């Protein structure tokens, strides 16, 4: 069964600092990988996705993520964090065989301090 | 594009009553929609997969008679929490899969259900 691990439950960064949120997955083949962001009391917004091709994917709001097959990782990065980036971030994996169930990581809560 | 509307955003009800939550894909057709439940400070837990024109597929441990799902059209799925009890209080989120982009789920804004 596929699984997603987000080892950092809570991260605090200063505004303007760089950010990296970690995500590791377990899946037999190459999965489809996603990062979603959730603001308090809101639904999930898709930041970016990886299906195939270039392993460095660009998303909205200045985020990017890099797929590393050898490490089974799909870490999310942003060079300079803004206060509005404070939210919960979920890494997710979908079976590449079709539109199947999404498996979410437990989430990483990002706090941004001035 | 790819907007999913979920209504209501918040509902408070008395124990024993039923509550209906709607999930609509506003600008695309969705043959498949998903319903999730999210407990405080936890990830999303898939409750059921809703397929247009057929019965929903429920995850293990989810009571299908308590959480009734209807997907009557390509743009609407409803979740009815029947005979709600305080332990049903939670954040419910739906998602819809675009028929032309089957690997991406678009999420609604969620419904906060509080059962008194």
């Amino acid at each position: 069964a596929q699984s997603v691990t987000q080892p950092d439950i809570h991260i605090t960064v200063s505004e303007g600092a760089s950010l990296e949120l970690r995500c590791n997955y377990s899946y037999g083949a190459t999965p489809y990988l996603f990062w979603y962001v959730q603001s308090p009391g809101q639904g999930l917004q898709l930041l970016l996705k990886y299906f195939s091709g270039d392993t460095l994917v660009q998303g909205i709001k200045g985020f990017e993520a890099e797929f590393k097959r050898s490490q089974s990782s799909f870490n999310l990065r942003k060079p300079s964090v803004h206060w509005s980036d404070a939210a919960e971030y979920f890494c997710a994996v979908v079976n590449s065989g079709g539109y199947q169930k999404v498996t979410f990581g437990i989430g990483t809560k990002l706090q941004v301090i001035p | 594009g790819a907007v999913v509307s979920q209504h209501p955003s918040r509902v408070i009800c008395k124990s024993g009553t039923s509550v209906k939550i709607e999930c609509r894909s506003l600008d695309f057709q969705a043959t498949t929609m998903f319903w999730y439940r999210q407990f405080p400070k936890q990830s999303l837990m898939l409750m059921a997969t809703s397929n247009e024109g057929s019965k929903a597929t429920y995850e293990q441990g989810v009571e299908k008679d308590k959480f009734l799902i209807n997907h009557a059209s390509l743009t609407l799925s409803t979740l009815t929490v029947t005979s709600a009890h305080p332990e049903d209080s939670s954040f419910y989120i739906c998602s819809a899969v675009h028929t032309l982009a089957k690997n991406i789920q678009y999420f609604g804004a969620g419904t906060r259900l509080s059962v008194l």
Side-chain angles (χ1 to χ4, degrees), chain A residues 36 44-46 49, chain B residues 1-5 24-30 94-101 104-109:
Chain A
Y36 287 90
L44 274 67
Q45 181 182 22
L46 179 65
K49 60 188 181 296
Chain B
V3 178
V4 176
S5 172
R24 293 180 185 272
S25 55
L26 296 186
D27 52 359
F28 66 99
Q29 292 185 331
C94 73
S95 71
V97 177
H98 198 307
T99 52
L100 301 179
I104 303 174
Q105 292 186 26
Y106 296 95
F107 286 82

Side-chain angles (χ1 to χ4, degrees), chain B residues 9-84:
Chain B
S9 59
R10 189 178 187 95
V11 58
I12 302 172
C13 68
K14 292 182 179 180
S15 185
T17 61
S18 295
V19 174
K20 180 184 284 188
I21 303 170
E22 293 186 348
C23 181
R24 293 180 185 272
S25 55
L26 296 186
D27 52 359
F28 66 99
Q29 292 185 331
T31 51
T32 301
M33 292 184 175
F34 297 88
W35 287 96
Y36 296 86
R37 183 172 179 176
Q38 186 178 31
F39 293 98
K41 300 182 180 180
Q42 294 189 28
S43 189
L44 283 74
M45 180 190 76
L46 180 65
M47 298 175 65
T49 303
S50 171
N51 294 299
E52 185 267 338
S54 63
K55 290 183 178 180
T57 303
Y58 291 81
E59 294 301 298
Q60 191 172 11
V62 178
E63 299 176 61
K64 60 181 180 181
D65 294 330
K66 180 166 191 61
F67 298 100
L68 299 179
I69 291 173
N70 183 274
H71 195 153
S73 78
L74 286 172
T75 59
L76 174 64
S77 175
T78 60
L79 168 68
T80 300
V81 183
T82 62
S83 186

Side-chain angles (χ1 to χ4, degrees), chain A residues 8-65:
Chain A
D8 304 307
I9 295 176
H10 195 155
I11 283 184
T12 300
V13 299
S14 298
E15 190 169 16
S18 63
L19 171 71
E20 182 169 34
L21 302 182
R22 295 183 291 167
C23 172
N24 292 94
Y25 67 90
S26 174
Y27 184 65
T30 300
Y32 294 151
L33 297 159
F34 304 80
W35 274 99
Y36 287 90
V37 60
Q38 184 181 33
S39 297
Q42 299 295 314
L44 274 67
Q45 181 182 22
L46 179 65
L47 282 178
L48 47 77
K49 60 188 181 296
Y50 172 80
F51 289 170
S52 64
D54 193 344
T55 56
L56 184 63
V57 294
Q58 303 296 321
I60 62 172
K61 303 184 179 187
F63 285 94
E64 66 177 26

